[in-house]
Amino acid sequence: MVEELVTAGVAAASAGAVYAMAAARVVKQYERGVVLRLGRLRPQVRGPGFTMIVPFVDRLHKVNLQIVTMPVPAQEGITRDNVTVRVDAVVYFKVVDATAAVVNVEDYRFAVSQMAQTSLRSIIGKSDLDDLLSNREKLNQGLELMIDSPAVGWGVQIDRVEIKDVSLPDTMKRSMARQAEADRERRARIINADAELQASRKLAEAAQQMADTPSALQLRLLQTIVAVAAEKNSTLVLPFPVELLRFLERAQQPAPPAPRPVPEPAPGPVQERLSSAAPHVEPEPGGSHSSQDGDTRTGPPVTGP
């Protein structure tokens, strides 16, 4: 009788140990436990630490609450300005409602991945190439909103979304390189022209100052000679004054010819008739005579026979 009781006690203890081992669960600090009893959701979410469930009746689902880093495969699309690009991104998210993550969606990781891929394709089609290359912050915010809207019902919160890389075709890369080179050359020419304009203004002011003070030109000439002679050259080049060249040029020019006398016009028929009709006046002694018009004419003296 005692042996039977001992055997029954050992069997009960063994069964209890097996039951306890089957019912015991450990939930980690970054996890939450969702219990389904016979397929029905238990309202209480098991926190971190040691917990017990009913074996063969309850099923415990552990949900990780850590931030998950999920890379989004590269998606190929056409931008709004008709450029084919390949864009890949990365999504950072975490579970904030363990119950919704277990009940409302079959696999929240796969759902977030597919939503990220479709949202990335949509962003590519709505954006220009310049926005993808330079305005990524705005695109990241738009992509985050597009993924976060349906993910709220899954108990998932999108922490942030980052576009990693934008791959362009080789032809587009060459075109952009030529464009950048042309823009650099344009800016270089503008800067050079501005420098020439400023230098010309300064030279004009210097020329005006030297014109007002002729001795300044001689001082500048002497400074140039000193600067050239400081190089220890065997040949010294002296500039020739421009004023002396102009003086020699004016000296070599021939003198202007004397003005020719203007010939008097030949008398015409009218003048001949007038001269024949005029009365003849004998010259007075002394070599002068006067006409009726009051003119005094001087001629040779008249001598007698």
Side-chain angles (χ1 to χ4, degrees):
M1 188 68 183
V2 176
E3 294 179 356
E4 292 178 355
L5 292 176
V6 172
T7 303
V10 171
S14 299
V18 172
Y19 181 83
M21 292 177 61
R25 294 290 187 274
V26 176
V27 179
K28 298 179 181 180
Q29 181 65 37
Y30 54 85
E31 294 178 340
R32 295 296 182 270
V34 179
V35 179
L36 296 177
R37 179 169 295 174
L38 297 176
R40 294 180 63 86
L41 175 67
R42 300 295 295 173
Q44 184 180 3
V45 178
R46 306 298 174 90
F50 181 80
T51 185
M52 297 289 291
I53 63 173
V54 179
F56 309 108
V57 177
D58 294 344
R59 183 177 295 274
L60 180 65
H61 296 272
K62 297 179 181 180
V63 180
N64 191 345
L65 302 184
Q66 291 177 318
I67 294 178
V68 180
T69 303
M70 177 180 293
V72 181
Q75 303 296 315
E76 185 173 355
I78 301 177
T79 60
R80 190 166 57 181
D81 50 354
N82 299 326
V83 179
T84 303
V85 295
R86 288 177 61 88
V87 182
D88 56 351
V90 59
V91 181
Y92 302 89
F93 67 93
K94 63 181 180 180
V95 177
V96 293
D97 189 354
T99 302
V102 173
V103 176
N104 295 344
V105 63
E106 180 181 3
D107 187 355
Y108 66 89
R109 290 175 179 266
F110 182 74
V112 171
S113 176
Q114 295 300 312
M115 179 56 64
Q117 294 181 29
T118 56
S119 300
L120 184 58
R121 284 179 174 269
S122 179
I123 285 292
I124 293 173
K126 294 179 181 179
S127 305
D128 295 331
L129 179 61
D130 294 338
D131 294 335
L132 290 175
L133 296 176
S134 60
N135 196 11
R136 293 189 180 182
E137 293 294 335
K138 182 178 179 180
L139 297 180
N140 292 338
Q141 294 177 2
L143 190 59
E144 180 181 348
L145 291 176
M146 294 179 66
I147 302 175
D148 190 62
S149 298
V152 172
W154 305 335
V156 177
Q157 178 183 354
I158 305 299
D159 188 66
R160 62 185 306 173
V161 181
E162 294 288 343
I163 295 177
K164 292 173 58 179
D165 188 22
V166 179
S167 300
L168 300 174
D170 294 337
T171 56
M172 181 57 62
K173 291 181 180 179
R174 290 193 293 268
S175 299
M176 294 178 65
R178 290 195 300 269
Q179 179 183 2
E181 184 179 358
D183 184 66
R184 292 285 182 179
E185 185 177 357
R186 178 183 63 85
R187 285 191 288 177
R189 290 185 177 181
I190 292 175
I191 294 174
N192 190 17
D194 192 12
E196 293 291 340
L197 178 60
Q198 295 179 6
S200 63
R201 290 177 179 175
K202 294 298 182 181
L203 289 175
E205 294 178 2
Q208 182 65 31
Q209 188 69 24
M210 289 183 179
D212 296 339
T213 308
S215 60
L217 184 61
Q218 301 297 330
L219 294 177
R220 183 59 181 168
L221 176 60
L222 294 177
Q223 291 178 0
T224 304
I225 295 174
V226 171
V228 173
E231 298 295 334
K232 298 181 180 179
N233 296 326
S234 60
T235 304
L236 182 61
V237 180
L238 296 178
F240 205 71
V242 180
E243 289 77 4
L244 183 57
L245 292 177
R246 293 178 179 175
F247 176 75
L248 295 176
E249 182 181 359
R250 289 194 299 268
Q252 291 178 359
Q253 290 180 355
R260 298 179 179 178
V262 179
E264 295 182 359
V270 177
Q271 293 180 356
E272 293 178 353
R273 287 195 299 268
L274 289 176
S275 60
S276 60
H280 178 72
V281 179
E282 293 293 338
E284 297 178 358
S288 63
H289 63 277
S290 60
S291 62
Q292 295 180 358
D293 295 335
D295 295 336
T296 302
R297 297 181 183 179
T298 305
V302 178
T303 58

